[in-house]
Every structure is written in structure tokens, then in C-alpha cells.
């Protein structure tokens, strides 16, 4: 199953869960008991927050995919030629060496979304998912500014 399909399946399952949880919140509010009403309101907040977070992640994935498509059309996607261990994971030393190149590109052209996208893939290859996502958000923001 592709990552895109898996994300959609998980989102659909979560929405079903959120609806069931929300219904429980409504039932708690309907009891009229002050404690149950408080719990019911709290139970309603959880699915709303969850739905917002799921929507945000799906938007992030959609935007990232769109940037990758645009970069591929321009011929600017980084080539995945890093050596791999027998397990299939990228060799950390090679990823770190490639990372330096992409970091220098981003420092040289800080307003170009393309270099931020490539830097994000380098962070991901080096195993730093948190910085990879933050850098991809930077790439998306620079792309939005360039389009305006």
C-alpha cells in the first residue's frame, strides 16, 4: 500500500473514531449532570483538535507532494544515489557529507524554495525527521511567497 493510501485510510478511520467519540460527548452533555456536561465538553474538544491536526498533516503532505512534482518537472529533485547498508538504510556518513552540500546551497540562496526542499530531503536522509519537516515548511513558505 502506498503512503498516500495509508494516510487516507488512517484519516478515514480517525474520522470514524472522532464521530463516535463526539457522539459520546453529546450523550454526556445530554445527561444534565454538571460533571457529565464538563466531561462531555472535554470529550468534544478532543476529536475537534484531532481532526484539525489530521487535516494539517494531510495538507502538509499534499503541499510537499506538489513541490516535489514541480521540482521534478524542473529537473531539480536530488538524486537518491547515497550508499545503503544491507538493511536498506542510508549510510549515515554519506548522508552527513551530502547534507553539507545542501546546507551550503540553502545558505547561499536563502529565499529559494528549491534549495530548502533539497535541504529537507538531506535532513531526512541523515535521520533528522524533525528538522526535515521544519525545513520543508520553510520551503513551502518560500514557494508561497514566490507565487504571490
Amino acid at each position: 500500500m502506498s503512503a498516500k493510501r495509508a494516510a487516507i485510510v488512517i484519516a478515514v478511520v480517525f474520522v470514524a473514531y472522532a464521530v463516535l467519540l463526539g457522539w459520546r460527548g453529546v450523550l454526556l452533555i445530554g445527561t444534565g449532570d454538571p460533571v457529565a456536561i464538563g466531561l462531555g465538553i472535554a470529550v468534544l474538544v478532543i476529536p475537534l483538535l484531532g481532526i484539525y491536526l489530521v487535516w494539517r498533516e494531510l495538507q502538509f503532505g499534499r503541499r510537499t507532494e506538489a513541490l516535489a512534482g514541480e521540482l521534478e518537472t524542473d529537473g531539480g529533485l536530488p538524486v537518491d544515489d547515497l550508499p545503503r547498508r544491507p538493511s536498506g538504510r542510508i549510510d549515515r556518513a554519506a548522508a552527513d557529507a551530502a547534507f553539507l552540500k545542501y546546507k551550503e546551497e540553502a545558505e547561499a540562496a536563502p529565499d529559494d524554495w528549491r534549495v530548502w526542499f533539497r535541504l529537507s530531503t538531506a535532513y531526512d536522509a541523515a535521520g533528522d525527521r524533525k528538522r526535515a519537516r521544519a525545513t520543508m515548511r520553510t520551503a513551502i513558505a518560500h514557494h508561497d511567497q514566490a507565487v504571490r
Side-chain angles (χ1 to χ4, degrees):
M1 181 181 296
S2 72
K4 192 174 188 176
R5 280 192 179 152
I8 291 170
V9 167
I10 290 170
V12 168
V13 169
F14 176 76
V15 168
Y17 171 76
V19 167
L20 290 173
L21 190 61
W23 179 245
R24 285 291 182 189
V26 169
L27 291 176
L28 282 169
I29 292 170
T31 65
D33 181 36
V35 174
I37 290 172
L39 283 172
I41 291 170
V43 166
L44 284 175
V45 169
I46 293 169
L48 292 175
L49 179 63
I51 287 172
Y52 167 73
L53 293 173
V54 167
W55 174 80
R56 214 176 116 201
E57 287 304 308
L58 290 174
Q59 290 297 97
F60 176 76
R62 185 186 60 78
R63 307 273 318 274
T64 300
E65 189 176 6
L67 290 186
E70 192 173 327
L71 204 54
E72 183 178 29
T73 301
D74 296 344
L77 272 180
V79 179
D80 184 12
D81 59 355
L82 295 174
R84 298 184 183 273
R85 292 189 239 152
S87 65
R89 288 181 171 245
I90 295 173
D91 180 60
R92 181 69 180 235
D96 289 343
F99 169 79
L100 292 175
K101 176 185 119 181
Y102 293 118
K103 183 179 178 190
E104 289 172 1
E105 284 181 6
E107 289 170 350
D111 293 332
D112 186 1
W113 67 269
R114 293 165 189 84
V115 297
W116 287 102
F117 185 97
R118 288 189 285 268
L119 181 60
S120 175
T121 62
Y123 270 125
D124 188 54
D128 192 345
R129 292 280 164 97
K130 185 177 180 181
R131 286 192 178 138
R133 291 177 66 81
T135 307
M136 186 58 72
R137 289 191 204 305
T138 302
I140 291 169
H142 284 299
H143 180 267
D144 290 349
Q145 288 176 354
V147 171
R148 290 180 195 169

